[in-house]
Amino acid sequence: MRLVQLRAIALTSFPNIVKKRLRLAAALILCFIIGCWSFPAQAATRISPRLQEQVLQIIRENPEVILESLQAYQQAQKEKLHQAQQAFLQDLKTNPKAVIAESPTTGAKDLKIVLVEFSDFQCPYCAKAQETIKQFMANHQDEVTLVYKHFPLTSIHTEAMPAAKAAWAAGQQGKFWEYQDALFSQQDKLGEALYLEIAQNLNLDIEKFQHDRNIADNAIVQDMLLAEKLGISGTPFFVMNGQAFSGAIQLSDMENILARVR
C-alpha cells in the first residue's frame, strides 16, 4: 500500500479530539514558521528556547500534519493571488478608470484598449522595452491607451525610487512622458544631477518640482502594492486588456497581442 494511503488511514484512525489538537498545534507551528521566515530577527529575540524545542518536538512527531497545513496555506495564498488577478483583469475591461486612477496616460481617450505598464527606470530591460513601446504607440496612438505604473525594484536598483519620484513630480506639471523618455535615454547617468538637469531642460518650476518629489512616496507605493498584489516580481510587465506579457518584447509580438484583444 502506498505511503500516502497509510498516512491517510493512520490519520483518520485518530480520535477526533486528537486530530483537533494536532491541527491546532500545526496551525501554531505554521504561524511560528511563517513568523521566522518573515521576521527572523524579531522571532529570534521573542521565542524562548523551551518553546522552540517544544515546537520542534511536535514537528518531529507529526510531520504529516505540518505538511498538510503548509499545503493548505500555500493553496490559500495561490487562490488569493488568482482572485486578485481576475479582479484586476475584470476591472481593466469594465472599469478601466479605477485601474488607471491617478497614473499618467497617453494615447486614445476612449479606454477601449488599455495597455498597463509596470516599469522601473533603472531596469535595462525596461529601457529596451521602452523603444518598442514608443514605436507601438506611434502606430496606435488613436486606438490604445498607455498607462504607466511605477514598480521600482529597490532591492537591486538604488536609483529606481529617486528616479520614480522625479518622474512623478514632473507629471504634476504635465511633463511625465517627456521626463520618462529623458530618464530612459540617459539611464547610465541616473542621479541627482540628472534629475535636476532634465527638470530644467523641460522648463519645470524647480521649486514645485522639489516639493512634489518629497510627497511622491504614497503614489508610488500604491503602484508597488498593486504589483505585489498581482504577483508581479520583475519588470517590465504589461497587461493589454486581458493579455499579460513581460520582458523586452518585440514590436511584432505586441502587434499580434493587439490583434488578439481587438
Side-chain angles (χ1 to χ4, degrees), residues 106-110 113 115 132-146 240 251-252 254-256 258-259 262:
T106 187
K109 303 298 183 183
D110 57 16
I113 298 178
L115 172 59
T132 303
I133 294 295
K134 288 185 70 174
Q135 296 177 57
F136 178 78
M137 289 304 298
N139 295 339
H140 304 285
Q141 190 74 17
D142 298 328
E143 184 180 10
V144 178
T145 305
L146 175 62
M240 189 189 304
L251 182 60
S252 58
M254 291 198 70
E255 295 288 355
N256 290 335
L258 175 60
R262 276 191 177 120

Side-chain angles (χ1 to χ4, degrees), residues 102-119:
E102 300 299 320
S103 297
T105 65
T106 187
K109 303 298 183 183
D110 57 16
L111 306 182
K112 290 183 179 179
I113 298 178
V114 179
L115 172 59
V116 181
E117 173 186 6
F118 290 86
S119 189

Side-chain angles (χ1 to χ4, degrees), residues 119-121 149-155 157 160-161 164 220 224 235:
S119 189
D120 172 329
F121 288 116
K149 297 286 186 181
H150 295 279
F151 191 32
L153 305 177
T154 55
S155 63
H157 295 151
M161 180 61 86
I220 295 170
M224 295 171 70
T235 56

Side-chain angles (χ1 to χ4, degrees), residues 203-214:
N203 296 316
L204 299 182
D205 180 327
I206 299 301
E207 185 176 347
K208 176 173 172 52
F209 174 74
Q210 297 286 42
H211 171 268
D212 289 340
R213 281 204 294 172
N214 292 329

Side-chain angles (χ1 to χ4, degrees), residues 2 24 31 34 37 44-45 57 60 65 92 106 115 122 134 136 138 147 178 180 182 205 232 234 237:
R2 294 179 180 177
L24 176 59
C31 291
I34 294 170
W37 286 341
T45 57
Q57 184 61 30
R60 285 192 288 267
V65 181
L92 195 57
T106 187
L115 172 59
Q122 199 174 356
K134 288 185 70 174
F136 178 78
V147 181
E178 295 89 340
Q180 177 211 233
D205 180 327
I232 300 172
F237 188 91

Side-chain angles (χ1 to χ4, degrees), residues 10-29:
L11 188 57
T12 54
S13 66
F14 288 150
N16 287 336
I17 187 65
V18 174
K19 288 194 288 185
K20 286 181 180 178
R21 287 176 178 173
L22 281 176
R23 288 197 174 95
L24 176 59
L28 292 172
I29 293 167

Side-chain angles (χ1 to χ4, degrees), residues 146-208:
L146 175 62
V147 181
Y148 189 96
K149 297 286 186 181
H150 295 279
F151 191 32
L153 305 177
T154 55
S155 63
I156 57 175
H157 295 151
T158 57
E159 286 298 326
M161 180 61 86
K165 290 181 180 181
W168 186 88
Q172 304 314 294
Q173 298 187 49
K175 295 288 187 177
F176 173 81
W177 297 103
E178 295 89 340
Y179 203 98
Q180 177 211 233
D181 289 345
L183 286 175
F184 277 129
S185 65
Q186 303 174 81
Q187 196 177 60
D188 60 333
K189 299 178 182 178
L190 293 181
E192 185 63 21
L194 179 64
Y195 305 145
L196 289 174
E197 178 185 331
I198 296 173
Q200 291 167 347
N201 290 341
L202 293 176
N203 296 316
L204 299 182
D205 180 327
I206 299 301
E207 185 176 347
K208 176 173 172 52

